[in-house]
Amino acid sequence: MKIFVTGGAGYIGSHVVKLLGQKGHEIAVFDNLSTGHEWAVLYGSLIKGDLADKPRVVDAIRTFGPDGVIHFAASIQVEESMREPLMYYRNNVINTINLLDAMVEGNVPYLIYSSTAATYGMPDKPLIDEQTPLEPINPYGASKVMIERVLRDLSFARSDFRYVALRYFNVAGADSECRIGQAYKEATHLITRALKVAKGEFPKLTVYGTDYPTPDGTCVRDYIHVDDLALAHLKALEYIVETKRSDTMNCGYGHGFSVREVIEVAKKVTGVDFPVEDGPRRAGDPPALTADSGKLKSLTGWTPRHDNLEFIVKTAWEWERKQS
């Protein structure tokens, strides 16, 4: 297939591009390189462009003529979204609608959409399935809910448009061959931040909140290896082509680890007893998010291979050491 990948030079997008390329798909990556990197695009061609430039998007899709689109390009930091909500609605909502307009104009029938567990907000049950009410508590999650609604409405209106929205939980780790990994200018994800503290790039790691209603008082998250998430995209693509059905699916392992548990594993893997301090809660952080991914497994046959926190941290650490 010919697949158009927005944000394919970024962390998750580049791992999906790698897998698509290994499977023989033809790929065009559309990325403004604001957080992505040209070196991370291991397969296909790179088109430098911004989704805010609608004529550029329309032209790129018309020229490439894709069979489907995988859409990663978005702003994704919860804390930043609380400070800059208009930026999040502009980038995540308006720019996605620009992409959808281009898809409709170019008669592109399939979309795999990068959504998030932040759509659920603060659910009152430990294991979250897709029927859990969508009650986001930050603009990031709200922007993703808005586009899920747009996709649902567009799918109802047009019989030639189908989508799968994948709600990610916490993505971590790196390519096991150490060719690509997380390379944000300002690391905010817990595992990456902890490893950078172990390397000496930051003086200490701050634990944001120790009074949550969890076993040790710190936030609990479901960490999924980026290669397993990439496989979920491939399986979702195969599903949508075969069934011609729109759907929404969670992506996670079904169990979580607290911030303190992640820190202990990071110290074990690195062999560094790096400094950690307790701090106040951050706005917009729910206490616990753990995925019920039974739907993804049953409908697509997705079988994760790297459900091991130590392996996740180990691959991320090998990648961090390579960047030294």
Side-chain angles (χ1 to χ4, degrees):
M1 294 178 67
K2 298 178 71 175
I3 308 298
F4 188 83
V5 184
T6 69
Y11 171 48
I12 299 171
S14 64
H15 285 79
V16 173
V17 167
K18 176 196 70 174
L19 182 58
L20 290 171
Q22 290 171 340
K23 297 297 183 181
H25 296 287
E26 185 178 347
I27 307 154
V29 170
F30 189 89
D31 201 302
N32 65 8
L33 301 181
S34 59
T35 57
H37 305 273
E38 193 165 351
W39 50 258
V41 181
L42 302 182
Y43 291 88
S45 58
L46 173 63
I47 303 167
K48 296 179 184 177
D50 196 299
L51 292 176
D53 184 353
K54 186 174 175 180
R56 174 76 163 149
V57 184
V58 169
D59 180 68
I61 286 183
R62 182 190 300 118
T63 301
F64 181 59
D67 301 301
V69 171
I70 304 181
H71 178 37
F72 296 102
S75 300
I76 62 170
Q77 296 181 24
V78 168
E79 186 181 24
E80 182 182 57
S81 80
M82 301 292 285
R83 291 184 280 106
E84 301 286 347
L86 293 183
M87 181 183 82
Y88 273 69
Y89 293 122
R90 185 177 300 112
N91 191 26
N92 295 359
V93 178
I94 296 173
N95 289 355
T96 299
I97 291 173
N98 286 345
L99 173 64
L100 294 171
D101 276 336
M103 289 181 63
V104 169
E105 187 170 327
N107 296 310
V108 183
Y110 305 125
L111 174 70
I112 307 300
Y113 176 61
S114 171
S115 192
T116 172
T119 56
Y120 295 117
M122 299 178 66
D124 58 2
K125 56 183 180 179
L127 197 62
I128 305 162
D129 62 22
E130 293 83 359
Q131 301 306 310
T132 302
L134 302 183
E135 299 175 345
I137 61 172
N138 52 62
Y140 166 54
S143 70
K144 293 291 188 174
V145 169
M146 288 179 182
I147 288 300
E148 285 196 22
R149 179 58 189 262
V150 170
L151 294 177
R152 188 161 63 250
D153 290 345
L154 184 58
S155 182
F156 286 149
R158 298 184 64 93
S159 61
D160 59 348
F161 175 81
R162 293 293 178 262
Y163 72 93
V164 171
L166 295 177
R167 292 178 183 152
Y168 308 166
F169 283 63
N170 280 47
V171 189
D175 170 39
S176 56
E177 296 180 37
C178 217
R179 293 168 294 176
I180 49 177
Q182 199 172 102
Y184 299 142
K185 295 173 185 175
E186 277 295 325
T188 59
H189 291 195
L190 173 61
I191 289 175
T192 302
R193 189 81 178 188
L195 298 179
K196 287 186 179 296
V197 174
K199 284 173 64 181
E201 292 187 21
F202 299 105
K204 60 191 175 184
L205 180 70
T206 301
V207 176
Y208 294 106
T210 59
D211 59 347
Y212 285 98
T214 59
D216 66 15
T218 64
C219 289
V220 172
R221 296 291 184 267
D222 189 335
Y223 293 90
I224 178 174
H225 193 279
V226 66
D227 279 344
D228 279 338
L229 184 60
L231 180 61
H233 286 77
L234 182 64
K235 291 294 187 181
L237 182 63
E238 293 170 351
Y239 168 82
I240 200 173
V241 170
E242 180 181 347
T243 67
K244 308 295 188 295
R245 289 178 54 191
S246 295
D247 223 320
T248 302
M249 306 175 193
N250 287 338
C251 299
Y253 290 149
H255 54 86
F257 294 93
S258 72
V259 172
R260 294 206 190 282
E261 288 173 322
V262 170
I263 290 170
E264 288 307 308
V265 172
K267 288 183 175 183
K268 176 183 177 182
V269 168
T270 63
V272 179
D273 187 17
F274 52 83
V276 178
E277 72 169 10
D278 293 342
R281 294 185 182 190
R282 293 182 301 189
D285 277 344
L289 290 172
T290 306
D292 180 344
S293 296
K295 186 177 181 181
L296 174 66
K297 293 175 181 177
S298 64
L299 292 182
T300 74
W302 177 69
T303 303
R305 299 172 296 170
H306 305 306
D307 182 3
N308 181 290
L309 182 61
E310 191 166 326
F311 176 82
I312 292 171
V313 175
K314 180 175 179 290
T315 58
W317 178 234
E318 289 171 352
W319 169 252
E320 284 296 329
R321 293 176 67 187
K322 184 179 179 181
Q323 308 314 300
S324 300

